[in-house]
Amino acid sequence: MATRLVQINMKARDHSALGAFWAAALGWEMSSEGPGVTNLEPEGFVYPDPVAVCIDLVAYPDVKTVKNRVHVDLATDSAAHHAELVTRLMDLGATPADVGQGDVPWTVLADPEGNEFCVLDWRDPIRDTGPIATVVVDCADPRAMARFWGEATDWTVHKVTDHNAVLRSAKGVGPYLQFLRTPDVKTVWNRVHLDVRPYPGDDVETEAARLRALGATVVDLGPDVPWTVLADPEGNEFCLLAPG
């Protein structure tokens, strides 16, 4: 048994407006599965498919107060593309962001609700990922996170060091998942988190038990939540959706 990383869940005070920003930023389509939710995926996409990690924006009233522990890196393929993308994103409403990055060859921005993201240097070796090159998760111990997420999902571990760990779908398509060592301590519920889904025919309760055995813990949000909420060994919340 295994799960698949299928989407990023992003809380938003105005899910429609923020969805419009990210749809334009990525060149993706917008839809809505119900009130309070905006769904983003590539045109012609058949969900789920590892070629893309989709984005769900969910209405949430609280204002962002701390740096997100999960963010995306956007891919570029030339100096001109990098400059054009940064300009276009700022025209859409992005603003420069300082997360202590110093003098780096990539550009750090924030979306209209303050969610940090990076536009990667075009000389970065990441290629053929789609517009999202990497989903990045801050952590204290990349090696431990690689062990957990490598077992929790069917994604392949490509690199593990004391600084970071990098995984990608076993099918060799779509974005990478990076666990990046940072000094920041998790203090609040993650405003941006990962959603994983078992394969068709698998049992969600059995999968939840397997994840707990690997080191996940249960997050109890009450009986009205129709999916399973867990936290990884460093306390990052993630949702275990129904098989499919």
Side-chain angles (χ1 to χ4, degrees), residues 15-242:
H15 65 92
S16 296
L18 195 60
F21 168 85
W22 281 105
L26 301 172
W28 286 6
E29 294 184 329
M30 288 178 62
S31 61
S32 179
E33 65 190 56
V37 180
T38 295
N39 310 105
L40 305 181
E41 59 185 37
E43 182 179 358
F45 184 76
V46 179
Y47 176 94
D49 186 324
V51 72
V53 172
C54 301
I55 298 178
D56 281 2
L57 299 108
V58 180
Y60 190 70
D62 294 354
V63 176
K64 180 179 180 291
T65 58
V66 300
K67 174 181 173 289
N68 288 334
R69 295 187 70 79
V70 180
H71 73 267
V72 297
D73 291 344
L74 303 187
T76 63
D77 57 20
S78 68
H81 182 205
H82 183 275
E84 179 277 328
L85 181 56
V86 169
T87 298
R88 184 167 64 84
L89 290 165
M90 293 184 69
D91 288 342
L92 290 169
T95 54
D98 185 352
V99 294
Q101 69 269 19
D103 184 16
V104 294
W106 57 87
T107 302
V108 184
L109 300 173
D111 71 18
E113 292 202 8
N115 299 297
E116 304 87 1
F117 66 98
C118 298
V119 180
L120 291 184
D121 175 28
W122 64 95
R123 291 161 294 195
D124 193 290
I126 292 175
R127 295 290 183 270
D128 302 322
T129 58
I132 298 177
T134 317
V135 180
V136 183
V137 182
D138 292 353
C139 71
D141 188 344
R143 294 183 184 277
M145 294 293 270
R147 284 193 296 272
F148 173 80
W149 284 95
E151 291 289 332
T153 69
D154 64 355
W155 284 35
T156 301
V157 178
H158 283 247
K159 172 185 176 182
V160 181
T161 71
D162 290 338
H163 175 66
N164 68 353
V166 179
L167 294 77
R168 196 184 193 191
S169 166
K171 295 184 178 180
V173 297
Y176 290 82
L177 175 63
Q178 178 180 193
F179 294 95
L180 181 65
R181 186 177 189 131
T182 62
D184 305 327
V185 176
K186 184 178 185 294
T187 58
V188 299
W189 174 277
N190 283 351
R191 196 174 183 87
V192 182
H193 70 256
L194 309 180
D195 286 348
V196 299
R197 187 180 292 275
Y199 280 89
D202 287 347
D203 178 72
V204 69
E205 294 300 330
T206 302
E207 184 60 26
R210 188 183 74 87
L211 293 171
R212 292 196 301 272
L214 291 173
T217 53
V218 175
V219 179
D220 186 1
L221 296 182
D224 295 332
V225 178
W227 49 83
T228 302
V229 184
L230 301 169
D232 71 18
E234 291 202 5
N236 298 296
E237 302 86 3
F238 66 97
C239 292
L240 176 64
L241 307 179

